Amino acid sequence: LKPPVRVAITGAAGQIGYSLIFRVASGEMLGPNQPVILHLIDLPFAMTALNGVAMEIQDCAFPLVQGIVATDNQTVGFKDVNYALLVGAKPRGPGMERGDLLKDNGKIFTETGKYINDHASRDIKVVVVGNPCNTNCLILANQIKDIPKENFTAMTRLDHNRAQYQLADKLGVHSSDIRKIAIFGNHSPTMVPYIDQMTAKNHKATVDQQWVTQTFIPSVQQRGAEIIKARKLSSAASAGNAAMNHITTWVNGTAEGDYTSMAIPSDGSYGVPKGLIFSFPVTVKNGKYSIVQGLPISPFYQGLLDKTIKELVDERNAVDHLLK
Ligand code: NAI
């Protein structure tokens, strides 16, 4: 067994937390040889519920769990942490504008950024799940002084996995047979599922353009809303699963000949303004991701990219005061 690593999960008393924590504890995220110390963070009012979660982890007697820190204190919560899955965020309430959501979460992620900067391990890898996740990540990373900016990412893997399933279903193959697809842009209804290079069972695969525009893209963009309608609750198990996939791929790499989707600081590729937290197709090797370059962008896709870029620029402008 390797020495233990510290994994922080915020929003740990919430519904994503409840499906995610137990799978991380079982070794599904970092592998069967990697012991973990779980840092479970939530707000003061949620501490009773969080202690219940901690008791259930104890009662699983997980061989890989070497300690549990359940806390509402972020100094303790982020101390020496190697991986952080930032799920906790303020949800959008009735009548709340997107601007209000950005502002309220802006405060949370400014604060969390300071604690991570001051207390976390210098090699920390962060994935922001709490929405609006791209701009929350931008705000967070802005507080960081001496940890590389590329260690701060946001999650579009759920959108990627959703796209993979829709395409597999259409082509009559398994999700794992679908490769070379990616999500560009914001984790929001403007996201762009890019499939022009798609392969199924290692052969170039195409689907008709009308299905792409009228069925596929809307179904991926609206899948979250569809699940809320069905479950009366937002997607939780699939979101937790995607957060784990994001970290696992970041650590273990992408398969040869495939790529995945991560929202990362833009380096200007594909005309995306530098610094925006933007989802790109990436390959990962030795714990480092690189943007897949040179994918052909049709006028159809360029139109969609322009929209999602504009939305993220508008979001950045709305929180400009937090980025100084
Ligand atoms: P939930 O409401 O069940 O749980 C959220 C938890 O976060 C609560 O226990 C709350 O007390 C806690 N929390 C709030 N602010 C916090 C803070 N500053 N520090 C620590 N904990 C805090 O919500 P759920 O369903 O677990 O979703 C969490 C977030 O994940 C939401 O923002 C949701 O929009 C987002 N999400 C993102 C997805 C993505 O693809 N990026 C997919 C699905 C959900």
Side-chain angles (χ1 to χ4, degrees):
L1 287 187
K2 302 178 192 168
V5 292
R6 294 177 184 271
V7 180
I9 297 170
T10 68
Q15 51 151 2
I16 294 179
Y18 197 70
S19 73
L20 171 63
I21 294 165
F22 293 85
R23 294 180 64 191
V24 173
S26 76
E28 247 189 288
M29 184 171 85
L30 295 171
N33 298 318
Q34 181 57 71
V36 292
I37 298 170
L38 297 169
H39 286 229
L40 310 179
I41 306 168
D42 209 299
L43 297 173
F45 83 91
M47 282 305 108
T48 308
L50 188 61
N51 287 329
V53 174
M55 285 189 264
E56 284 202 76
I57 299 168
Q58 293 164 343
D59 296 348
C60 291
F62 285 117
L64 292 171
V65 174
Q66 305 251 319
I68 306 169
V69 178
T71 185
D72 57 6
N73 177 330
Q74 296 194 67
T75 302
V76 177
F78 288 110
K79 181 94 188 109
D80 297 333
V81 157
N82 307 99
Y83 298 93
L85 294 87
L86 304 181
V87 178
K90 184 161 177 175
R92 191 169 184 163
M96 205 169 158
E97 298 293 333
R98 195 170 172 87
D100 298 329
L101 185 71
L102 281 163
K103 258 188 239 148
D104 287 354
N105 281 295
K107 279 188 216 128
I108 294 176
F109 284 85
T110 303
E111 200 180 300
T112 298
K114 290 188 178 136
Y115 284 103
I116 289 179
N117 185 63
D118 293 347
H119 303 288
S121 169
R122 300 299 89 178
D123 69 357
I124 188 171
K125 284 179 158 67
V126 176
V127 57
V128 178
V129 176
N131 280 318
C133 63
N134 299 56
T135 298
N136 286 343
C137 181
L138 180 76
I139 292 166
L140 177 86
N142 189 63
Q143 295 299 323
I144 305 297
K145 307 292 174 241
D146 57 358
I147 302 172
K149 286 277 191 261
E150 21 341 328
N151 294 17
F152 296 84
T153 66
M155 182 174 98
T156 49
R157 184 63 172 264
L158 179 56
D159 311 304
H160 182 105
N161 290 348
R162 285 168 171 168
Q164 213 174 353
Y165 173 74
Q166 295 295 330
L167 293 160
D169 189 47
K170 173 76 175 169
L171 292 166
V173 296
H174 190 268
S175 289
S176 59
D177 295 325
I178 300 289
R179 291 183 154 201
K180 297 194 172 173
I181 63 161
I183 304 296
F184 277 93
N186 200 2
H187 169 70
S188 85
T190 67
M191 75 182 77
V192 183
Y194 175 84
I195 61 168
D196 276 0
Q197 301 298 309
M198 170 172 62
T199 63
K201 295 192 164 177
N202 295 322
H203 294 287
K204 187 99 183 35
T206 49
V207 278
D208 68 272
Q209 187 59 28
Q210 194 183 352
W211 179 80
V212 172
T213 48
Q214 292 180 6
T215 307
F216 169 65
I217 293 183
S219 77
V220 176
Q221 290 173 333
Q222 300 303 330
R223 184 73 158 184
E226 208 187 328
I227 286 168
I228 292 176
K229 221 164 113 195
R231 243 171 57 85
K232 317 275 183 287
L233 285 169
S234 63
S235 8
S238 54
N241 179 68
M244 287 201 335
N245 292 163
H246 179 112
I247 296 286
T248 303
T249 304
W250 197 353
V251 174
N252 292 345
T254 41
E256 198 58 43
D258 198 7
Y259 38 79
T260 190
S261 308
M262 289 171 75
I264 57 173
S266 168
D267 63 356
S269 295
Y270 296 96
V272 178
K274 246 183 155 164
L276 282 186
I277 302 292
F278 195 89
S279 183
F280 286 104
V282 296
T283 53
V284 185
K285 214 173 174 179
N286 301 324
K288 298 247 176 268
Y289 55 76
S290 339
I291 297 173
V292 178
Q293 297 295 339
L295 296 174
I297 304 295
S298 63
F300 167 71
Y301 273 121
Q302 190 60 54
L304 298 181
L305 280 182
D306 290 345
K307 257 198 219 154
T308 198
I309 290 172
K310 178 174 185 306
E311 184 179 55
L312 280 169
V313 169
D314 288 347
E315 286 187 17
R316 180 169 69 183
N317 291 341
V319 298
D320 194 42
H321 59 290
L322 296 173
L323 300 175
K324 300 254 150 73

